Amino acid sequence: MSDWAAGPVRYLEWQAHHERAAPFYERLGHRGQSCPQPEYPTFILDLGPR
């Protein structure tokens, strides 16, 4: 997904269930942030200027 987004997108933002999906993204090095629904942390990937 980051390869696809590298052209048209500056940020990727998604929510993941804290028990089922978030551990997968954390193993990839991403860190979730709190959001209004605590069971779905928000992950943000800054692709920087291109």
Side-chain angles (χ1 to χ4, degrees), residues 17-38:
H17 190 271
H18 73 101
E19 291 178 358
R20 296 185 303 229
F24 168 75
Y25 295 114
E26 290 168 351
R27 284 192 299 274
L28 294 176
H30 303 290
R31 296 290 167 246
Q33 302 171 5
S34 297
C35 73
Q37 292 180 292

Side-chain angles (χ1 to χ4, degrees), residues 28-49:
L28 294 176
H30 303 290
R31 296 290 167 246
Q33 302 171 5
S34 297
C35 73
Q37 292 180 292
E39 66 273 10
Y40 291 92
T42 299
F43 292 83
I44 299 172
L45 178 59
D46 182 350
L47 298 170

